[in-house]
Amino acid sequence: MTMLQKENILIVDDDIGILELIQRHLHSMDYHTFKAVSVKEAVAILRDTEIDLLITDLKMPEVDGFELIQFVSEHYPNIPKLVVTGYPSIQDALSAIKSRVVDYLVKPFTKAELKQAVQKSLSSSTKKKSTDSATSLKKYDEIIGESKQVRNVIQIIDRVKDNKATVYISGESGTGKELVARSIHYNGKFSREPFIAVNCGGIPENLLESELFGYIKGAFTGAEDSREGFFQAAEGGTIFLDEIGNASLGVQSRLLRVLQEKEVVKVGARKSEKIDLRVIAATNSDLKEMVAKETFREDLYYRLTVVEIHVPPLRERKEDIPLLADKFLFKYGNEYKGRYVTIDTEAKELITRYDWPGNIRELENVIQRAVIMCDRTIGIKDLPESLKYQIDFPKEGLLPLKELERQYIQKVLAATNNNQTKAAEILQIDRKTLRAKIREI
């Protein structure tokens, strides 16, 4: 028998009695609930939990429900809002916030009225959410994961795949930034055109400019013929500039011209050439920090970040780890063993617990090695020691004399119950000297 997933409902009200009443009613209707007595608590829950419906009062101290509705409408537009208020003039308030609230209830209300309002609010978004989610997950099956973070990435991909807006992908090394870039290209209407991936960090700085934009014969020593660059090769399609943060300020200046004018100038040439393509850039560096340090052009940063996609690290979407592991088990099981290799419960718990600083790339490497090392099923013995529980013993080493003195004085004071006279006797110093040393601690 398939169990239906319960909806998560967030209730926000500074009246504890109303909060408890609504929660009891909703529990009896088989919903999951989260409570908040302030807007601040509500925002914290929204950031950490996937919420299907917000039920909120309007009149609350410090920050009121109107601001919460505004916040949710802009940050979580798919969450329906249901207002519960003790003020009969709610109609005027609703006209001010227009269609941002699906329904409202005036206190006191019956359990039946609450149930009807909740069902109405949820039905307005559930069908669309489930249809969109199923369609997107099916369409982008190369991106493995069912977490909220992965669904958010897929939703943005779906929005940008059919236009040539510049996209900036951020994320730690090994999170799959190039996979996201390829998904944008190959799922869109330009998929038959070229996809050119360029690792800006893998090309020497003195060659990057000529590789990107091409060069004419005689432009520099060794340029015996004219040559097209990566931008010309990607004409009509997509150029993916990975590790864009490694580009020199000179290359950045020319990239800015490409994005502004939609044209490139080959090294050594005077005449520009028009190009038509989509630019996707990515990096695991903090470009904002680089802008602040003036190592990355601010104007280029804003040109690149027309649409931003953040690919979350694996530690922030641990529910996706078993799905990714299954993919790699199937891939390497067939490659090395000629069959699907399984993983036992203890090993699965271990890989789910681990934080994966190297992200998906590290997980794939670990599974690949484990498949080679195991017989038919991967166990803890087949996993590297670095994944297993570690005890952090205090580090033993030589300490500075001042630190040793500080620790010993504290130990003596503790043993004498902070009696400075006795402590001074044990330390064989006078009380004045001891007081001076205590002030330094």
Side-chain angles (χ1 to χ4, degrees), residues 244-275:
I244 189 67
N246 290 332
S248 67
L249 289 172
V251 172
Q252 291 176 35
S253 179
R254 297 195 66 169
L255 281 173
L256 182 64
R257 178 182 175 85
V258 172
L259 295 174
Q260 286 176 331
E261 309 298 334
K262 305 296 182 186
E263 60 184 27
V264 296
V265 180
K266 290 179 179 176
V267 176
R270 295 182 179 179
K271 186 179 179 182
S272 62
E273 303 174 24
K274 285 289 183 183
I275 55 168

Side-chain angles (χ1 to χ4, degrees), residues 302-320:
Y302 288 114
R303 284 284 180 179
L304 289 174
T305 56
V306 175
V307 178
E308 292 188 55
I309 300 177
H310 177 67
V311 186
L314 205 49
R315 64 181 174 274
E316 292 180 6
R317 55 183 187 105
K318 289 198 169 187
E319 62 266 47
D320 294 332

Side-chain angles (χ1 to χ4, degrees), residues 11-16 19 35-39 41-42 60-61:
I11 316 160
V12 188
D13 200 313
D14 62 322
D15 186 329
I16 301 296
L19 207 59
K35 295 187 299 182
V37 295
S38 68
V39 172
E41 285 186 17
M60 288 183 284

Side-chain angles (χ1 to χ4, degrees), residues 343-352 378-380 383:
I343 182 169
D344 69 25
T345 302
E346 288 183 338
K348 186 175 286 188
E349 287 176 355
L350 194 154
I351 65 169
T352 305
I378 294 174
I380 287 182
L383 297 174

